Amino acid sequence: MSKKVAFYTLGCKLNFSETSTIARSFSDEGFDRVDFSEKADIYVINTCSVTENADKRFKSIVKQAQKVNPEAFVAAVGCYAQLKPQELADFDGVDLVLGATEKFKITDYLNDLTKNDFGEVHSCEIEEADFYVGSYSIGDRTRAFLKVQDGCDYKCTYCTIPLARGISRSDTMENVLKNAREISEKNIREIVLTGVNIGDYGKGEFGNKRHEHTFLDLVTQLDQVEGIERLRISSIEPNLLKNETIELVSKSRAFVPHFHVPLQSGSNEILKKMKRRYMRELYVDRVNKIKEVMPHACIGVDVIVGFPGETDEHFLETYNFLNELDISYLHVFTYSERDNTEAAMMDGVVPKNVRGKRSKMLRGLSVKKRRAFYESQIGTFRTVLFEGENKEGYIHGFTENYVKVKAPWNPELVNTLHKVNLTEIGEDGIVRFEFVKDLVV
């Protein structure tokens, strides 16, 4: 009888794409994949280290697996496993911890799946994480996350990702295009490009720093892959989002008018302390350029509140800056200290209750921004890609510019694109629409 494996992924879209690749290696070895809530012989947890919360959640997930099958073999991989392997290995029930280079070879480490008395650790010095493993995930039938780049050469003072994932390196153009074609052949309508710092694409494509391709080359070539209806850029640094890329998206066949551009702070003083590679003026310039060529574009923003040294004045500077900016929604992160980062040593620690208050204020601003963006779209004609889940009798979908819509559940709509007229915002904040007759895309 074949062995069963279950996966749990914490963190970002990149982690999801990597879990899928690891899962395929188990299928190749004859394992059957089951849901994490079911009984399995091995549970693989792909960890994240971006927030404090992710650390705590890891422990509760291990307990969850043990409750279902106390005899199961538990393996931890991913960012937290690279940063603090011993800490994970010491947690009761964990049998194997694999770092950044080892996670893709996990099946090589599984001898007989008998539980260990203590967690076994295989993690490299992060300098050894200099090769690239391509991956993509098919989380549902409608969209796939395609990894094009890994690692980061930036030295942001709050971030552990370079320690967890190593230097910036890229997939070859040939392999990215091959993966994109494979995805399109599976009748998946949308591909989301992911990486740690995707605007840096091209670097390390040949295992060294020689550049043959750039991010602009990548999007240009992907736009020509037949069979993909939609391409979405997940998150790109403002200093790496060039005018040429914005222009290309505006005229593109498949790239959608949706950008997610991390800001982190609206105060130049704080941006300098964070060692970000731009000032707020450049950020304004990027937003204005996007809106100039695509007035209907959706722009998402990452912000960190409570960074060391952030006074009330700095925070208000950020709040007012975002309030005046033509953006569509915020992802708000409350700063949390991470070991081995410069920021953890800085003076001016902001009390946790103040961080919480600031976070709440920005989340409120995000609701207001999203509402205003949705209101600006009422009365316009858009294309919706419908998703596969029946949520309390409704089907949801997203327009190309990331407006969320809903309609009564109809299984025939799943994974189809339809032209619609956006009519009103419901009480739940989700947009309602009318189908434009006979226009199935």
Side-chain angles (χ1 to χ4, degrees):
M1 208 171 91
S2 59
K3 296 249 192 266
K4 295 189 166 89
V5 61
F7 296 88
Y8 199 107
T9 305
L10 289 159
C12 61
K13 295 183 176 102
L14 182 56
N15 269 6
F16 279 91
S17 75
E18 292 183 342
T19 298
S20 283
T21 297
I22 294 165
R24 286 194 284 275
S25 71
F26 273 91
S27 300
D28 295 344
E29 297 287 332
F31 281 80
D32 286 337
R33 183 174 182 176
V34 297
D35 192 77
F36 203 83
S37 60
E38 295 174 47
K39 190 172 179 180
D41 299 286
I42 176 166
Y43 292 92
V44 180
I45 304 166
N46 193 353
T47 63
C48 166
S49 68
V50 171
T51 64
E52 231 173 344
N53 210 12
D55 304 1
K56 289 176 189 147
R57 282 195 55 204
F58 171 76
K59 292 175 180 173
S60 70
I61 294 156
V62 173
K63 285 178 182 160
Q64 196 181 314
Q66 286 184 301
K67 204 177 274 183
V68 184
N69 182 5
E71 297 304 305
F73 190 90
V74 177
V77 301
C79 291
Y80 193 24
Q82 174 64 36
L83 288 172
K84 300 208 171 164
Q86 206 51 57
E87 202 170 288
L88 296 194
D90 290 344
F91 189 67
D92 193 34
V94 175
D95 299 292
L96 179 67
V97 179
L98 297 181
T101 61
E102 291 78 16
K103 62 187 170 191
F104 295 108
K105 301 179 284 202
I106 181 169
T107 53
D108 299 349
Y109 291 97
L110 307 175
N111 301 326
D112 55 1
L113 294 190
T114 46
K115 285 195 76 59
N116 295 323
D117 294 336
F118 48 86
E120 196 181 309
V121 173
H122 296 275
S123 82
C124 63
E125 289 302 315
I126 198 61
E127 291 73 28
E128 292 166 33
D130 58 358
F131 58 89
Y132 186 85
V133 177
S135 56
Y136 61 84
S137 81
I138 296 165
D140 54 29
R141 279 166 50 200
T142 50
R143 70 170 58 82
F145 299 116
L146 172 59
K147 174 181 162 185
V148 299
Q149 183 275 344
D150 201 348
C152 188
D153 292 341
Y154 287 10
K155 300 283 186 285
C156 301
T157 53
Y158 52 81
C159 185
T160 55
I161 287 173
L163 299 172
R165 284 187 170 270
I167 58 171
S168 179
R169 54 212 188 273
S170 309
D171 205 348
T172 62
M173 180 73 79
E174 190 185 348
N175 201 45
V176 172
L177 296 174
K178 177 179 84 69
N179 284 341
R181 286 188 199 99
E182 274 177 28
I183 293 166
S184 74
E185 283 159 14
K186 291 177 166 63
N187 195 30
I188 286 164
R189 309 288 185 156
E190 180 176 310
I191 291 178
V192 183
L193 301 184
T194 74
V196 173
N197 188 357
I198 61 174
D200 218 13
Y201 176 81
K203 208 183 258 188
E205 191 185 349
F206 305 100
N208 54 30
K209 293 296 177 196
R210 183 164 65 85
H211 264 271
E212 193 162 299
H213 295 108
T214 62
F215 184 68
L216 181 63
D217 296 333
L218 178 76
V219 291
T220 305
Q221 296 213 28
L222 277 169
D223 200 30
Q224 291 158 19
V225 175
E226 281 177 31
I228 302 167
E229 268 110 335
R230 280 186 176 181
L231 285 155
R232 205 178 285 278
I233 298 167
S234 62
S235 177
I236 184 165
E237 292 284 308
N239 49 305
L240 295 173
L241 177 56
K242 304 289 188 235
N243 281 349
E244 295 81 357
T245 305
I246 296 170
E247 295 278 0
L248 181 131
V249 171
S250 74
K251 302 183 180 83
S252 161
R253 176 193 68 80
F255 276 95
V256 294
H258 175 208
F259 294 86
H260 195 90
V261 191
L263 168 69
Q264 310 311 14
S265 175
S267 157
N268 281 343
E269 201 178 319
I270 297 295
L271 287 173
K272 281 177 190 158
K273 288 189 79 175
M274 290 176 165
K275 290 196 178 164
R276 300 294 286 159
R277 298 195 174 194
Y278 53 86
M279 292 288 105
R280 55 187 257 161
E281 290 72 17
L282 175 96
Y283 199 91
V284 173
D285 184 55
R286 300 298 74 207
V287 169
N288 290 346
K289 177 65 187 174
I290 293 167
K291 287 293 185 176
E292 176 198 318
V293 293
M294 291 169 275
H296 59 296
C298 178
I299 303 174
V301 185
D302 287 343
V303 202
I304 295 171
V305 295
F307 187 80
E310 184 187 65
T311 60
D312 287 347
E313 289 71 27
H314 290 133
F315 172 70
L316 282 173
E317 214 182 326
T318 296
Y319 186 93
N320 294 331
F321 178 72
L322 289 165
N323 193 24
E324 286 158 28
L325 212 52
D326 193 359
I327 51 138
S328 318
Y329 64 90
L330 305 171
H331 280 174
V332 185
F333 297 89
T334 305
Y335 171 76
S336 63
E337 286 77 3
R338 317 309 287 147
D339 289 346
N340 303 317
T341 58
E342 267 187 71
M345 309 300 199
M346 288 179 182
D347 297 336
V349 173
V350 177
K352 293 226 164 134
N353 63 325
V354 176
R355 296 181 208 182
K357 218 174 277 179
R358 290 175 185 173
S359 175
K360 206 171 173 181
M361 277 178 75
L362 282 183
R363 289 199 168 108
L365 179 62
S366 181
V367 170
K368 194 178 102 176
K369 285 286 184 184
R370 195 184 293 269
R371 177 90 192 186
F373 175 63
Y374 281 7
E375 280 171 358
S376 75
Q377 296 304 299
I378 299 302
T380 65
F381 293 92
R382 297 280 169 239
T383 306
V384 171
L385 173 57
F386 288 98
E387 313 214 315
E389 208 180 331
N390 181 342
K391 288 187 182 165
E392 294 167 6
Y394 285 91
I395 188 166
H396 291 80
F398 284 93
T399 64
E400 65 274 36
N401 60 341
Y402 215 55
V403 173
K404 189 175 187 179
V405 303
K406 73 188 259 191
W409 172 253
N410 175 354
E412 286 173 20
L413 291 175
V414 172
N415 199 30
T416 60
L417 287 147
H418 289 263
K419 200 83 166 176
V420 303
N421 176 19
L422 303 179
T423 54
E424 62 176 340
I425 303 173
E427 280 178 21
D428 53 6
I430 300 172
V431 177
R432 307 299 191 271
F433 61 88
E434 289 165 353
F435 285 104
V436 177
K437 279 192 176 56
D438 307 326
L439 273 177
V440 179
V441 180

